[in-house]
Amino acid sequence: MSTRRTSAAALASVGILATGWGIGTAHGKTLTSTTATGTGASTTTAAGTTSKTTTGAAAGTTSGTTSGTTTGTTSGTTSGSTAGSATYVGSRQSDRWGSLQVTVTVTSGKITPITYTTTAGDGKSLSIEARATPTLKSEVLAAQSAQVSSVSGATYTSAKYLTSLQSALDQIG
Amino acid sequence: MSVAEGAPDRVRGATRHVFTAMGTGISLAVAGDLPAGAVAAVEDAFETLDDRFSLYKPESEATAVARRVLPVEQASREFQETYALAERWSVRTGGAFRSHRPDGSVDLNGVVKALAIRRAGEALLARGVTDWCLNAGGDVLTNGAQGDGMPWVVGIVDPTDRQALLTQFTCSAAYPAVATSGTTERGEHVWRTHEELPERQFVQVTVAAPDIVTADVLATAILAGGQATLERALEQWPLHVIAAEAGGGFLATEAFRA
């Protein structure tokens, strides 16, 4: 006797995918998020029919460049995938960096972000800091030991970390 | 300057609290007194997120997702929101920041620590603590000033001599967050992109930004993506950056130049 069961993969392939962006700002003023739930009937497409869309940025402003010139993960537009795939469009979310809308497909339980549209935010509100220029060590601003109160460095393993820089700091307390 | 010899003792009139969470050392310096409950709230911010997102805890939700026992679509709302946040940063950095391991499993470590720092900072502010410096494994978020009114100053480790400081950054209300990524770090969220070979590869990247998530994510992304990612980041976000090249040179914005 066999019992028909819905496999996890099948569930996932028709599952509701939430694409809610957590929008946070500095100093903890707001941390809001919106969850866009694709309905089960939302645009179901055959794999490979999607296309990447980028919306150009405002011209003339210093920050007016389209973010993320490529998605970096273009593997989603696979061909030959016979499994059904569902496409979900996230709600457009804005923060200080602009707005973004992502479209996600779920194919056999695998999630692949395949398209996005983005627009730059209001460049006037941003103060973009020039360029990074080649610099010799002798040209780097020296640390003033009398001023430093904490140290930023690559994460170490716990034991290593605690016995090196941070512990040096923490003994002061 | 040698940290070992001349350890900074400039936290004037500050109260320090040190603990371990997320596998790293966390240090909180507060100018003035710490109200009851503030320390517990800070520790709780890290422990709560670690319980859900640690890949070192077999029972965590993140472990279930990574092992594909739990589909993201069925994960908690907090997990989905964090996943979406990481995906957004992946998109915005052209894939240099990644929310998946090379094997395809979901790995949100690249944002979770910074989120914990942010949340801990919110907990402090909610309790009326306004002057503090929180350092979690070398990523630093500050608020207000030191006890004597001087701004918080963060030293940046010298990648070629980890007992010394390369440079420093003076935090401000506009740039309260400093994060550093290096090739010596644990490596759980740094994968170099192969799609494009950047002109310059870095061994250590420090980013100062308006918030800790931006600083941490972009330090990771620039380390992975090299000069091309650095230049794109500077076009998009208000940042101060110093990136150390393998050959001993640096790319630095004005704030880090003598």
Side-chain angles (χ1 to χ4, degrees), chain A residues 21 33 133 135 137 141 146 152, chain B residues 10 81 84 158 167 180 257:
Chain A
W21 300 133
S33 63
T133 52
T135 307
K137 193 166 186 175
L141 177 71
S152 179
Chain B
R10 274 32 89 177
E81 288 176 351
D158 186 335
T167 184
T180 298
R257 296 167 64 89

Side-chain angles (χ1 to χ4, degrees), chain B residues 97-169:
Chain B
F97 178 80
R98 302 194 178 184
S99 53
H100 294 81
R101 293 187 170 186
D103 67 4
S105 61
V106 174
D107 183 345
L108 304 180
N109 276 312
V111 292
V112 167
K113 185 172 74 172
L115 287 173
I117 294 171
R118 173 192 284 173
R119 189 176 292 185
E122 290 169 353
L124 289 169
L125 293 175
R127 285 161 178 77
V129 185
T130 56
D131 297 303
W132 44 264
C133 175
L134 179 60
N135 187 330
D139 295 331
V140 183
L141 179 63
T142 64
N143 199 82
Q146 300 188 56
D148 58 3
M150 297 295 287
W152 297 105
V153 177
V154 177
I156 312 300
V157 171
D158 186 335
T160 63
D161 177 3
R162 300 206 166 260
Q163 293 300 307
L165 295 179
L166 168 69
T167 184
Q168 68 181 29
F169 182 78

Side-chain angles (χ1 to χ4, degrees), chain B residues 14-31:
Chain B
T15 304
R16 261 194 198 279
H17 176 70
V18 182
F19 62 102
T20 300
M22 293 187 173
T24 193
I26 298 169
S27 173
L28 170 66
V30 175

Side-chain angles (χ1 to χ4, degrees), chain A residues 16 23 55 80 93 116 118 141 143 151 166:
Chain A
I16 292 172
I23 307 296
T55 303
Q93 294 293 311
Y116 70 96
T118 182
L141 177 71
V151 171
Q166 192 61 62

Side-chain angles (χ1 to χ4, degrees), chain A residues 125-144:
Chain A
S125 65
L126 298 179
S127 169
I128 302 296
E129 295 296 327
R131 305 183 63 80
T133 52
T135 307
L136 299 173
K137 193 166 186 175
S138 59
E139 299 168 338
V140 172
L141 177 71
Q144 302 298 317

Side-chain angles (χ1 to χ4, degrees), chain A residues 147 149, chain B residues 12 144-146 148-153 170-172:
Chain A
Q147 299 174 359
S149 51
Chain B
R12 309 169 184 88
Q146 300 188 56
D148 58 3
M150 297 295 287
W152 297 105
V153 177
T170 301
C171 294
S172 63

